[in-house]
Amino acid sequence: MEFDRKVEGYLEVAERVKNYKEFALPLKESELREQGARCMDCGIPFCHSGCPLGNLIPDFNDAVYQGKWEKAAKILHATNNFPEFTGRLCPAPCEEACVLGINADPVSIENLEKNIVETAFKNGWIKATPPRYRTEKKVAIIGSGPAGLAAAQQLNRAGHWVTVFERDEKVGGLLRYGIPDFKMEKHIIDRRVKILEKEGITFRTGVHVGVDIPIGSLQGEYDALLLSGGATVRRTLPIPGANSQGVVQAMDFLAQNNRKVDGLPYSGEEISAKGKRVIVIGGGDTGSDCIGTSIRQGARSVINFEIMPQGGTDRPADQPWPFWPMRLRTSSSHKEGAERVFSISTKRFNANAQGQLKSLVTTGVSWERVPGQRPRLVEQAGSEREWECDLVLLALGFTGSETTLSDALDLSMDPRGNIRASAKDYATNVPGLFVAGDQRRGQSLIVWAISEGRQAAHHMDAYLMGASNLPLKGEGDLPRI
Ligand SMILES: Cc1cc2nc3c(=O)[nH]c(=O)nc-3n(C[C@H](O)[C@H](O)[C@H](O)COP(=O)(O)OP(=O)(O)OC[C@H]3O[C@@H](n4cnc5c(N)ncnc54)[C@H](O)[C@@H]3O)c2cc1C
Ligand code: SF4
């Protein structure tokens, strides 16, 4: 009742696009405490169920309000291994479920989360805590994204010897090679990985399991295995001209740029937006990251196509609180100078005699909805339009897991191309082999990957030991401070 919602501001666009650094302007401690005070400590905190980790949100909000930052950090870490990732990158479904959000602006939970964990790092409160005893069981984790890292820390806490295999030369999965530095600088990952190493986790990078070493040899050496290799198969756009030079998959563009920023070598030709008319096809997180990266590379213009209609900023009536609503979301990258076009579908690419992209052709579309049936895409007659462009980035999402390991192991797959395992136990059809994160649920969010890694770790521990004390969702112990 006393304080309005306030979150971090950003550096001016003209300043921030000069480099790839994060550009949030932190609030003062007194302002953060006021934001913590906005939490009503509801009898039933719906934010708990909005958060896929079951974070104990009113408890850490209250600790912030009281200025007890170390206590807040302990509460936060009870359910979330990596709040420095979610505090920067989570779309915050908790805030959509916040009771205050029914008739006012919700509590700024995500921003408080980031400030709690950064205060804790600054004060040296986040230290390696190796387990007090070892079970002498060995666990292999294949894939070092947020799912693999969360599972590794949990299984190590249970006393197992954990080795994480990663085919890239550095740990982090999409946190490192997908998400641009301006959303999260990569030293944030390195800082956490150093702690995991001190706790006793072994990282074997540059090892592609199923290619460099057979999965069968790991099954012989380890007592349990977790697959956390992500949903890496990219959706394509099979229309005429799709092979033109200048039509590029978003992940090729983003991964190469992250490598350049990190001073790492990359394979293939350089993909640059400098001086080019760029069209990004796909309006999700990946599309938004392509916009911010293109602008920083010096694109002449950036246009973003989205096949869905433009949503409103208000919650639609058929998606009531506390559910996640589909509404127009505008990222910091969108505000850096991209034109957004909705209800549009690309029909073909045109190239010159050398095969170089010169334009694309679109039609306007609408969605026909018949109750009980899936919405049908309808092209609008006479709406064809040609757009001149030099670079097109395809940010169309992912269609599931790669099949090298699932074929070798004869794993059961679900109809969406993910490795099949129930959320009851994360176990595949092969005994001792578990799966978590995007490789199980399909392309998703960091917070879900961490949640899945934690849940899978509990069930792997139970498989190895007969029972597990590792917490399940929402079971984090509150610290006694
Ligand atoms: C461009 C982009 C931006 C995004 N932005 C956001 C965002 O802002 N917020 C958000 O919440 N989510 C975002 N996401 C989604 C989020 O990054 C993913 O949901 C999350 O990283 C999935 O985690 P994961 O651990 O399951 O898999 P990944 O992060 O995909 O990690 C899988 C790892 O496994 C490795 N691997 C695969 N197979 C093998 C093998 N056989 N041997 C060895 N290693 C292997 C891969 O190299 C990779 O490092 C974004 C995704 C993309 C593509
Ligand atoms: S992890 Fe995401 S959903 Fe959970 S409390 Fe933090 S911002 Fe909210």
Short mmCIF file of all heavy atoms in Angstrom, two decimals, residues 89-91 142-148 165-168 172-175 178-180 183 207-210 228-232 251 254 285-286 289 398 402 405 436-439 443-447 449, ligand 1:
data_model
loop_
_atom_site.label_atom_id
_atom_site.label_comp_id
_atom_site.label_asym_id
_atom_site.label_seq_id
_atom_site.Cartn_x
_atom_site.Cartn_y
_atom_site.Cartn_z
N LEU A 89 17.36 -14.20 -16.03
CA LEU A 89 16.83 -14.70 -17.30
C LEU A 89 15.42 -15.30 -17.22
O LEU A 89 14.84 -15.63 -18.25
CB LEU A 89 17.78 -15.78 -17.84
CG LEU A 89 19.21 -15.30 -18.14
CD1 LEU A 89 20.16 -16.48 -18.27
CD2 LEU A 89 19.25 -14.46 -19.39
N CYS A 90 14.91 -15.43 -16.01
CA CYS A 90 13.61 -16.12 -15.89
C CYS A 90 12.48 -15.19 -16.34
O CYS A 90 12.48 -14.01 -16.00
CB CYS A 90 13.39 -16.54 -14.44
SG CYS A 90 12.00 -17.66 -14.24
N PRO A 91 11.51 -15.71 -17.09
CA PRO A 91 10.35 -14.87 -17.43
C PRO A 91 9.42 -14.65 -16.24
O PRO A 91 8.40 -13.97 -16.37
CB PRO A 91 9.66 -15.66 -18.54
CG PRO A 91 10.09 -17.06 -18.37
CD PRO A 91 11.46 -17.03 -17.74
N ILE A 142 25.44 -36.32 -18.80
CA ILE A 142 25.83 -36.02 -20.19
C ILE A 142 25.10 -34.75 -20.62
O ILE A 142 23.91 -34.77 -20.91
CB ILE A 142 25.52 -37.22 -21.12
CG1 ILE A 142 26.30 -38.43 -20.61
CG2 ILE A 142 25.90 -36.90 -22.56
CD1 ILE A 142 25.77 -39.74 -21.08
N GLY A 143 25.84 -33.64 -20.61
CA GLY A 143 25.27 -32.34 -20.94
C GLY A 143 25.35 -31.40 -19.75
O GLY A 143 24.89 -31.75 -18.66
N SER A 144 25.97 -30.22 -19.95
CA SER A 144 26.25 -29.33 -18.82
C SER A 144 25.42 -28.06 -18.85
O SER A 144 25.87 -27.01 -18.38
CB SER A 144 27.73 -28.96 -18.83
OG SER A 144 28.00 -28.09 -19.94
N GLY A 145 24.19 -28.13 -19.39
CA GLY A 145 23.27 -26.99 -19.29
C GLY A 145 22.74 -26.90 -17.86
O GLY A 145 23.19 -27.64 -16.97
N PRO A 146 21.77 -26.01 -17.63
CA PRO A 146 21.27 -25.85 -16.27
C PRO A 146 20.69 -27.12 -15.67
O PRO A 146 20.81 -27.33 -14.44
CB PRO A 146 20.19 -24.77 -16.41
CG PRO A 146 19.96 -24.59 -17.88
CD PRO A 146 21.18 -25.05 -18.58
N ALA A 147 20.11 -28.02 -16.49
CA ALA A 147 19.57 -29.28 -15.94
C ALA A 147 20.71 -30.15 -15.44
O ALA A 147 20.68 -30.66 -14.30
CB ALA A 147 18.77 -30.02 -17.01
N GLY A 148 21.75 -30.33 -16.26
CA GLY A 148 22.88 -31.17 -15.87
C GLY A 148 23.62 -30.60 -14.66
O GLY A 148 24.00 -31.34 -13.74
N PHE A 165 29.93 -34.73 -18.47
CA PHE A 165 30.52 -34.76 -19.81
C PHE A 165 29.88 -33.67 -20.67
O PHE A 165 28.64 -33.55 -20.70
CB PHE A 165 30.29 -36.12 -20.47
CG PHE A 165 31.05 -37.23 -19.80
CD1 PHE A 165 30.50 -37.91 -18.71
CD2 PHE A 165 32.31 -37.60 -20.24
CE1 PHE A 165 31.20 -38.93 -18.08
CE2 PHE A 165 33.02 -38.62 -19.62
CZ PHE A 165 32.46 -39.29 -18.54
N GLU A 166 30.70 -32.90 -21.36
CA GLU A 166 30.19 -31.82 -22.21
C GLU A 166 30.98 -31.79 -23.51
O GLU A 166 32.21 -31.76 -23.48
CB GLU A 166 30.31 -30.48 -21.47
CG GLU A 166 30.02 -29.26 -22.31
CD GLU A 166 28.65 -29.30 -23.02
OE1 GLU A 166 27.64 -29.45 -22.34
OE2 GLU A 166 28.64 -29.20 -24.27
N ARG A 167 30.27 -31.77 -24.64
CA ARG A 167 31.00 -31.81 -25.92
C ARG A 167 31.64 -30.46 -26.27
O ARG A 167 32.63 -30.40 -26.98
CB ARG A 167 30.08 -32.28 -27.04
CG ARG A 167 28.91 -31.37 -27.32
CD ARG A 167 28.02 -31.97 -28.38
NE ARG A 167 26.77 -31.24 -28.46
CZ ARG A 167 25.69 -31.69 -29.06
NH1 ARG A 167 25.69 -32.89 -29.61
NH2 ARG A 167 24.60 -30.98 -29.10
N ASP A 168 31.04 -29.36 -25.81
CA ASP A 168 31.66 -28.05 -26.06
C ASP A 168 32.89 -27.89 -25.17
O ASP A 168 33.07 -28.63 -24.20
CB ASP A 168 30.66 -26.93 -25.77
CG ASP A 168 29.63 -26.78 -26.89
OD1 ASP A 168 30.02 -26.95 -28.06
OD2 ASP A 168 28.46 -26.53 -26.58
N GLY A 172 28.03 -25.10 -19.63
CA GLY A 172 26.93 -24.14 -19.52
C GLY A 172 25.78 -24.37 -20.48
O GLY A 172 24.69 -23.85 -20.29
N GLY A 173 25.99 -25.13 -21.56
CA GLY A 173 24.91 -25.37 -22.53
C GLY A 173 24.44 -24.06 -23.14
O GLY A 173 25.25 -23.19 -23.47
N LEU A 174 23.12 -23.91 -23.26
CA LEU A 174 22.59 -22.70 -23.91
C LEU A 174 22.85 -21.44 -23.10
O LEU A 174 22.84 -20.34 -23.63
CB LEU A 174 21.08 -22.86 -24.15
CG LEU A 174 20.71 -23.84 -25.26
CD1 LEU A 174 19.19 -24.03 -25.31
CD2 LEU A 174 21.23 -23.37 -26.62
N LEU A 175 23.14 -21.59 -21.81
CA LEU A 175 23.49 -20.41 -21.01
C LEU A 175 24.73 -19.75 -21.58
O LEU A 175 24.90 -18.54 -21.54
CB LEU A 175 23.81 -20.81 -19.56
CG LEU A 175 22.70 -21.43 -18.72
CD1 LEU A 175 23.27 -21.93 -17.41
CD2 LEU A 175 21.61 -20.40 -18.45
N GLY A 178 24.09 -20.02 -26.29
CA GLY A 178 22.85 -19.54 -26.89
C GLY A 178 22.56 -18.11 -26.44
O GLY A 178 22.47 -17.19 -27.25
N ILE A 179 22.45 -17.95 -25.14
CA ILE A 179 22.02 -16.67 -24.57
C ILE A 179 23.17 -15.65 -24.67
O ILE A 179 24.29 -15.93 -24.24
CB ILE A 179 21.57 -16.91 -23.11
CG1 ILE A 179 20.28 -17.72 -23.15
CG2 ILE A 179 21.42 -15.61 -22.35
CD1 ILE A 179 19.90 -18.37 -21.86
N PRO A 180 22.92 -14.48 -25.25
CA PRO A 180 24.01 -13.51 -25.44
C PRO A 180 24.53 -12.93 -24.11
O PRO A 180 23.81 -12.91 -23.12
CB PRO A 180 23.37 -12.40 -26.28
CG PRO A 180 22.08 -12.95 -26.79
CD PRO A 180 21.65 -14.01 -25.84
N LYS A 183 22.60 -10.43 -22.00
CA LYS A 183 21.58 -10.91 -21.06
C LYS A 183 22.24 -11.54 -19.85
O LYS A 183 21.74 -11.44 -18.73
CB LYS A 183 20.65 -11.91 -21.75
CG LYS A 183 19.46 -11.23 -22.42
CD LYS A 183 18.67 -12.15 -23.33
CE LYS A 183 18.00 -13.31 -22.66
NZ LYS A 183 17.25 -14.17 -23.63
N VAL A 207 34.16 -33.56 -24.82
CA VAL A 207 33.90 -35.00 -25.00
C VAL A 207 32.46 -35.19 -25.47
O VAL A 207 31.52 -34.92 -24.72
CB VAL A 207 34.11 -35.78 -23.68
CG1 VAL A 207 33.84 -37.26 -23.90
CG2 VAL A 207 35.49 -35.55 -23.10
N HIS A 208 32.31 -35.60 -26.71
CA HIS A 208 30.97 -35.84 -27.26
C HIS A 208 30.62 -37.31 -27.03
O HIS A 208 31.13 -38.19 -27.73
CB HIS A 208 30.98 -35.49 -28.76
CG HIS A 208 29.61 -35.43 -29.35
ND1 HIS A 208 29.37 -34.93 -30.59
CD2 HIS A 208 28.40 -35.80 -28.87
CE1 HIS A 208 28.07 -34.99 -30.85
NE2 HIS A 208 27.47 -35.52 -29.82
N VAL A 209 29.76 -37.53 -26.06
CA VAL A 209 29.39 -38.92 -25.74
C VAL A 209 28.57 -39.49 -26.89
O VAL A 209 27.64 -38.86 -27.39
CB VAL A 209 28.60 -38.98 -24.41
CG1 VAL A 209 28.15 -40.41 -24.13
CG2 VAL A 209 29.44 -38.43 -23.27
N GLY A 210 28.93 -40.69 -27.31
CA GLY A 210 28.27 -41.31 -28.46
C GLY A 210 29.07 -41.09 -29.74
O GLY A 210 28.82 -41.76 -30.73
N SER A 228 21.15 -35.10 -20.17
CA SER A 228 20.65 -33.72 -20.07
C SER A 228 21.25 -32.93 -21.23
O SER A 228 21.86 -31.87 -21.05
CB SER A 228 21.02 -33.11 -18.72
OG SER A 228 22.40 -33.34 -18.43
N GLY A 229 21.04 -33.48 -22.42
CA GLY A 229 21.69 -32.93 -23.63
C GLY A 229 20.88 -31.88 -24.36
O GLY A 229 21.28 -31.40 -25.41
N GLY A 230 19.72 -31.50 -23.80
CA GLY A 230 18.94 -30.42 -24.41
C GLY A 230 18.11 -30.87 -25.60
O GLY A 230 18.17 -32.02 -26.04
N ALA A 231 17.32 -29.92 -26.13
CA ALA A 231 16.50 -30.15 -27.34
C ALA A 231 17.15 -29.35 -28.45
O ALA A 231 16.84 -28.19 -28.64
CB ALA A 231 15.07 -29.68 -27.09
N THR A 232 18.09 -29.97 -29.12
CA THR A 232 18.98 -29.19 -30.00
C THR A 232 18.62 -29.26 -31.48
O THR A 232 19.28 -28.59 -32.28
CB THR A 232 20.42 -29.69 -29.80
OG1 THR A 232 20.38 -31.10 -29.77
CG2 THR A 232 21.03 -29.18 -28.51
N MET A 251 20.75 -20.18 -34.20
CA MET A 251 21.73 -20.72 -33.25
C MET A 251 23.14 -20.69 -33.83
O MET A 251 24.11 -20.59 -33.08
CB MET A 251 21.34 -22.14 -32.82
CG MET A 251 20.34 -22.17 -31.69
SD MET A 251 20.85 -21.20 -30.26
CE MET A 251 22.31 -22.07 -29.76
N LEU A 254 24.04 -16.96 -33.19
CA LEU A 254 24.22 -16.60 -31.77
C LEU A 254 25.43 -17.29 -31.16
O LEU A 254 26.23 -16.67 -30.44
CB LEU A 254 22.97 -16.97 -30.97
CG LEU A 254 21.70 -16.17 -31.29
CD1 LEU A 254 20.51 -16.74 -30.53
CD2 LEU A 254 21.88 -14.69 -30.94
N ASP A 285 12.24 -15.95 -27.49
CA ASP A 285 13.49 -15.53 -26.84
C ASP A 285 14.66 -15.52 -27.82
O ASP A 285 15.49 -14.62 -27.83
CB ASP A 285 13.88 -16.53 -25.74
CG ASP A 285 13.26 -16.17 -24.40
OD1 ASP A 285 12.89 -15.00 -24.22
OD2 ASP A 285 13.15 -17.08 -23.56
N THR A 286 14.72 -16.58 -28.66
CA THR A 286 15.84 -16.70 -29.59
C THR A 286 15.80 -15.55 -30.60
O THR A 286 16.81 -14.93 -30.90
CB THR A 286 15.79 -18.06 -30.31
OG1 THR A 286 15.66 -19.08 -29.33
CG2 THR A 286 17.04 -18.31 -31.13
N ASP A 289 16.97 -12.42 -28.99
CA ASP A 289 18.44 -12.40 -28.83
C ASP A 289 19.13 -12.10 -30.16
O ASP A 289 20.19 -11.45 -30.19
CB ASP A 289 18.93 -13.74 -28.28
CG ASP A 289 18.47 -13.96 -26.84
OD1 ASP A 289 17.99 -12.98 -26.22
OD2 ASP A 289 18.58 -15.09 -26.34
N PHE A 398 12.86 -25.41 -31.64
CA PHE A 398 13.55 -26.70 -31.72
C PHE A 398 12.52 -27.81 -31.74
O PHE A 398 11.45 -27.67 -31.17
CB PHE A 398 14.48 -26.86 -30.51
CG PHE A 398 15.51 -25.77 -30.41
CD1 PHE A 398 15.21 -24.56 -29.80
CD2 PHE A 398 16.76 -25.93 -30.97
CE1 PHE A 398 16.14 -23.54 -29.74
CE2 PHE A 398 17.71 -24.92 -30.90
CZ PHE A 398 17.40 -23.72 -30.29
N GLU A 402 18.45 -34.73 -30.15
CA GLU A 402 19.25 -35.48 -31.14
C GLU A 402 19.08 -36.97 -30.86
O GLU A 402 18.77 -37.35 -29.74
CB GLU A 402 20.72 -35.09 -31.01
CG GLU A 402 21.01 -33.70 -31.52
CD GLU A 402 22.40 -33.23 -31.13
OE1 GLU A 402 23.34 -34.04 -31.16
OE2 GLU A 402 22.53 -32.05 -30.80
N LEU A 405 22.30 -40.84 -29.13
CA LEU A 405 22.31 -41.68 -27.92
C LEU A 405 21.02 -42.50 -27.82
O LEU A 405 21.07 -43.68 -27.43
CB LEU A 405 22.49 -40.82 -26.69
CG LEU A 405 23.82 -40.08 -26.60
CD1 LEU A 405 23.91 -39.25 -25.33
CD2 LEU A 405 25.00 -41.07 -26.65
N ALA A 436 16.58 -35.51 -18.12
CA ALA A 436 16.00 -34.31 -17.52
C ALA A 436 16.24 -33.09 -18.41
O ALA A 436 17.13 -33.09 -19.25
CB ALA A 436 16.62 -34.06 -16.13
N GLY A 437 15.46 -32.06 -18.16
CA GLY A 437 15.64 -30.79 -18.88
C GLY A 437 14.98 -30.84 -20.25
O GLY A 437 14.05 -31.62 -20.50
N ASP A 438 15.47 -30.00 -21.16
CA ASP A 438 14.86 -29.89 -22.49
C ASP A 438 14.86 -31.23 -23.23
O ASP A 438 14.03 -31.46 -24.10
CB ASP A 438 15.63 -28.87 -23.35
CG ASP A 438 15.25 -27.42 -23.02
OD1 ASP A 438 14.54 -27.22 -22.02
OD2 ASP A 438 15.69 -26.52 -23.74
N GLN A 439 15.80 -32.11 -22.90
CA GLN A 439 15.86 -33.40 -23.60
C GLN A 439 14.66 -34.28 -23.24
O GLN A 439 14.28 -35.16 -23.99
CB GLN A 439 17.17 -34.14 -23.27
CG GLN A 439 17.51 -35.23 -24.29
CD GLN A 439 18.96 -35.61 -24.30
OE1 GLN A 439 19.68 -35.45 -23.31
NE2 GLN A 439 19.43 -36.14 -25.42
N GLN A 443 11.88 -28.01 -25.76
CA GLN A 443 12.45 -26.69 -25.49
C GLN A 443 11.62 -25.96 -24.44
O GLN A 443 10.40 -25.95 -24.50
CB GLN A 443 12.56 -25.87 -26.77
CG GLN A 443 11.24 -25.36 -27.28
CD GLN A 443 11.43 -24.29 -28.36
OE1 GLN A 443 11.13 -24.55 -29.51
NE2 GLN A 443 11.92 -23.14 -28.00
N SER A 444 12.33 -25.39 -23.46
CA SER A 444 11.59 -24.84 -22.33
C SER A 444 12.36 -23.66 -21.74
O SER A 444 12.86 -22.82 -22.48
CB SER A 444 11.37 -25.97 -21.31
OG SER A 444 10.58 -25.55 -20.24
N LEU A 445 12.49 -23.66 -20.42
CA LEU A 445 13.09 -22.51 -19.72
C LEU A 445 14.18 -22.98 -18.77
O LEU A 445 14.18 -24.13 -18.32
CB LEU A 445 12.01 -21.81 -18.88
CG LEU A 445 10.87 -21.16 -19.64
CD1 LEU A 445 9.81 -20.68 -18.66
CD2 LEU A 445 11.38 -20.00 -20.50
N ILE A 446 15.05 -22.05 -18.40
CA ILE A 446 16.13 -22.36 -17.47
C ILE A 446 15.56 -22.84 -16.13
O ILE A 446 16.04 -23.81 -15.55
CB ILE A 446 16.99 -21.10 -17.28
CG1 ILE A 446 17.73 -20.78 -18.58
CG2 ILE A 446 17.97 -21.27 -16.12
CD1 ILE A 446 18.12 -19.35 -18.71
N VAL A 447 14.53 -22.14 -15.67
CA VAL A 447 13.98 -22.50 -14.36
C VAL A 447 13.42 -23.93 -14.39
O VAL A 447 13.56 -24.68 -13.41
CB VAL A 447 12.92 -21.47 -13.90
CG1 VAL A 447 11.73 -21.42 -14.83
CG2 VAL A 447 12.45 -21.74 -12.49
N ALA A 449 14.60 -26.30 -16.38
CA ALA A 449 15.77 -27.19 -16.48
C ALA A 449 16.36 -27.43 -15.09
O ALA A 449 16.69 -28.57 -14.72
CB ALA A 449 16.81 -26.59 -17.42
C1 LIG B 1 18.85 -18.33 -27.85
C2 LIG B 1 18.12 -18.84 -26.65
C3 LIG B 1 17.76 -17.95 -25.66
C4 LIG B 1 17.10 -18.40 -24.53
N1 LIG B 1 16.78 -17.50 -23.56
C5 LIG B 1 16.17 -17.93 -22.45
C6 LIG B 1 15.85 -17.01 -21.41
O1 LIG B 1 16.10 -15.82 -21.52
N2 LIG B 1 15.25 -17.50 -20.29
C7 LIG B 1 14.97 -18.83 -20.14
O2 LIG B 1 14.46 -19.22 -19.09
N3 LIG B 1 15.25 -19.73 -21.11
C8 LIG B 1 15.85 -19.30 -22.25
N4 LIG B 1 16.14 -20.20 -23.24
C9 LIG B 1 15.85 -21.65 -23.01
C10 LIG B 1 16.91 -22.28 -22.09
O3 LIG B 1 18.20 -21.85 -22.47
C11 LIG B 1 16.83 -23.81 -22.13
O4 LIG B 1 15.51 -24.19 -21.81
C12 LIG B 1 17.79 -24.46 -21.13
O5 LIG B 1 19.12 -24.04 -21.35
C13 LIG B 1 17.71 -25.99 -21.22
O6 LIG B 1 18.66 -26.53 -20.36
P1 LIG B 1 19.20 -28.02 -20.53
O7 LIG B 1 20.19 -28.20 -19.43
O8 LIG B 1 18.07 -28.96 -20.61
O9 LIG B 1 19.91 -28.08 -21.96
P2 LIG B 1 21.01 -27.15 -22.71
O10 LIG B 1 21.15 -25.81 -22.05
O11 LIG B 1 20.61 -27.18 -24.14
O12 LIG B 1 22.36 -27.94 -22.49
C14 LIG B 1 22.58 -29.19 -23.10
C15 LIG B 1 24.08 -29.44 -23.15
O13 LIG B 1 24.31 -30.82 -23.47
C16 LIG B 1 25.43 -30.90 -24.35
N5 LIG B 1 25.32 -32.19 -25.05
C17 LIG B 1 24.31 -32.63 -25.82
N6 LIG B 1 24.55 -33.89 -26.25
C18 LIG B 1 25.76 -34.24 -25.75
C19 LIG B 1 26.56 -35.42 -25.85
N7 LIG B 1 26.13 -36.49 -26.54
N8 LIG B 1 27.77 -35.45 -25.22
C20 LIG B 1 28.19 -34.38 -24.50
N9 LIG B 1 27.46 -33.23 -24.38
C21 LIG B 1 26.26 -33.17 -24.99
C22 LIG B 1 25.24 -29.70 -25.26
O14 LIG B 1 26.46 -29.35 -25.88
C23 LIG B 1 24.80 -28.64 -24.24
O15 LIG B 1 25.90 -27.98 -23.67
C24 LIG B 1 16.78 -19.78 -24.40
C25 LIG B 1 17.12 -20.67 -25.42
C26 LIG B 1 17.78 -20.21 -26.54
C27 LIG B 1 18.13 -21.16 -27.63
#
